[in-house]
């Protein structure tokens, strides 16, 4: 079952109404467009992500629907608006690239946008980069090594990596922001070649901006070696089974 299908189950017969995708991307937009909403607003901090998402939307938006490029640090962003359903899909981890050290304020910021009888859904990823590879099984070690290499390449290129937070931290912040948690669930992950190639292709792209070309070449070779190792493991085991996503449903107190 996909995370979006689980959210739909939790929503039940409640109308989606006016919906806010607070950290939009092509996947969440594809799902949002399949829902019987009254209208939607989708927000991203990245102009390039907005262009990709707009391609996904195509001609399927209505007059009241909006795709917005903005930063949640800006108090004027959607000021005074209210939504029946708010989706924060992997937004917590992505905030680091646009509003670092501000994650503890995110849910209070979203609280003002949720209607009194509305619903907040949070999708997150349990942190895996900080783990020690030699303490994990083969699948966990591979995923952690890929994440560490990706983050090292991003940092060397002058970018900020995402920063994921565990479910217990997220639950505390949601409750402190004035929500009542209705449901929290962790769902195991099976990473495939799409994940591996997506993360390692990102490394290749950002290595073009690393000034030390000898270092960049060595990291490029390491990317190729790690990609081959991961592809072989996935072919043998049918995926890299490690870690979990989580889905949280909450409503304003």
């Amino acid at each position: 079952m996909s995370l979006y299908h689980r959210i739909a189950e939790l929503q039940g017969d409640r109308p989606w109404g006016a919906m806010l995708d607070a950290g939009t991307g092509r996947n969440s937009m594809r799902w949002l467009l399949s829902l019987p909403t009254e209208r939607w607003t989708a927000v991203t901090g990245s102009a390039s992500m907005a262009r990709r998402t707009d391609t996904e939307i195509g001609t399927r938006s209505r007059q009241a629907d909006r795709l917005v490029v903005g930063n949640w640090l800006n108090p004027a962003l959607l000021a005074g608006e209210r939504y029946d359903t708010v989706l924060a899909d992997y937004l917590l981890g992505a905030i680091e690239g646009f509003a670092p050290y501000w994650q503890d304020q995110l849910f209070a910021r979203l609280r003002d946008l949720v209607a009194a009888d509305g619903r907040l859904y949070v999708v997150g990823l349990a942190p895996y980069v900080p783990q020690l590879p030699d303490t994990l099984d083969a699948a966990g070690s591979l995923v952690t090594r890929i994440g560490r290499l990706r983050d090292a390449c991003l940092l060397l290129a002058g970018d900020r990596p995402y920063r994921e937070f565990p479910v217990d931290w997220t639950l505390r912040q949601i409750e402190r922001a004035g929500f009542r948690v209705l449901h929290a669930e962790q769902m195991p992950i099976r990473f495939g070649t799409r994940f591996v190639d997506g993360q390692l292709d990102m490394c290749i792209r950002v290595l073009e901006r690393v000034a030390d070309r000898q270092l960049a070449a060595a990291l490029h070779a390491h990317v190729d070696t790690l990609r081959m190792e991961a592809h072989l493991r996935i072919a043998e085991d049918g995926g890299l089974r490690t870690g979990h996503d989580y889905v949280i449903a909450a409503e304003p107190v």
Side-chain angles (χ1 to χ4, degrees):
M1 177 187 297
S2 76
L3 298 169
Y4 297 134
H5 287 153
R6 187 66 184 116
I7 292 173
E9 285 188 349
L10 294 170
Q11 182 76 356
D13 295 330
R14 290 172 55 94
W16 297 96
M19 187 165 181
L20 170 63
D21 183 356
T24 196
R26 297 188 68 175
N27 290 333
S28 62
M29 178 54 67
R30 187 177 303 119
W31 178 64
L32 190 155
L33 289 169
S34 73
L35 301 177
T37 60
E38 293 178 6
R39 61 180 175 87
W40 53 258
T41 298
V43 177
T44 177
S46 166
S48 61
M49 177 59 73
R51 289 191 293 271
R52 292 194 293 272
T53 303
D54 193 48
T55 299
E56 183 68 39
I57 296 169
T59 60
R60 291 178 288 174
S61 63
R62 299 157 297 190
Q63 186 173 0
D65 298 333
R66 292 183 295 162
L67 176 60
V68 178
V69 178
N71 193 315
W72 288 113
L73 280 174
N74 178 7
L77 179 63
L78 308 190
E81 299 188 19
R82 295 292 182 274
Y83 294 88
D84 302 298
T85 311
V86 175
L87 173 68
D89 180 38
Y90 298 114
L91 176 60
L92 187 60
I95 282 287
E96 186 72 11
F98 305 95
Y101 311 112
W102 191 76
Q103 289 88 345
D104 62 324
Q105 301 297 312
L106 174 63
F107 298 113
R109 181 70 171 85
L110 296 178
R111 171 65 178 81
D112 292 338
L113 299 170
V114 182
D117 58 348
R119 181 75 61 86
L120 170 70
Y121 292 107
V122 178
V123 176
L125 173 64
Y128 60 88
V129 172
Q131 299 186 72
L132 300 176
D134 58 0
T135 66
L136 305 169
D137 62 14
S141 176
L142 259 175
V143 170
T144 294
R145 287 157 55 203
I146 289 170
R148 288 185 166 201
L149 177 59
R150 175 204 62 208
D151 288 359
C153 292
L154 287 168
L155 288 167
L156 287 168
D159 295 336
R160 282 185 179 274
Y162 283 9
R163 184 185 181 201
E164 307 295 348
F165 289 80
V167 65
D168 55 347
W169 186 96
T170 305
L171 288 168
R172 290 196 302 270
Q173 298 303 320
I174 289 173
E175 290 176 338
R176 287 171 182 170
F179 289 97
R180 175 171 57 253
V181 173
L182 304 173
H183 181 85
E185 178 179 356
Q186 299 184 78
M187 303 177 72
I189 303 173
R190 183 176 65 179
F191 294 104
T193 55
R194 181 178 176 184
F195 165 82
V196 171
D197 291 339
Q199 302 305 298
L200 296 181
D201 288 348
M202 184 188 305
C203 292
I204 298 301
R205 290 194 299 272
V206 302
L207 284 174
E208 296 177 3
R209 294 189 271 118
V210 174
D212 187 331
R213 299 315 300 163
Q214 185 174 357
L215 175 60
L219 287 168
H220 197 304
H222 186 41
V223 167
D224 292 341
T225 299
L226 196 55
R227 189 193 305 268
M228 183 178 298
E229 182 182 351
H231 279 208
L232 287 172
R233 176 66 62 177
I234 290 169
E236 292 175 358
D237 298 342
L240 303 174
R241 294 175 173 84
T242 184
H244 59 265
D245 294 302
Y246 54 84
V247 175
I248 299 169
E251 62 184 14
V253 175

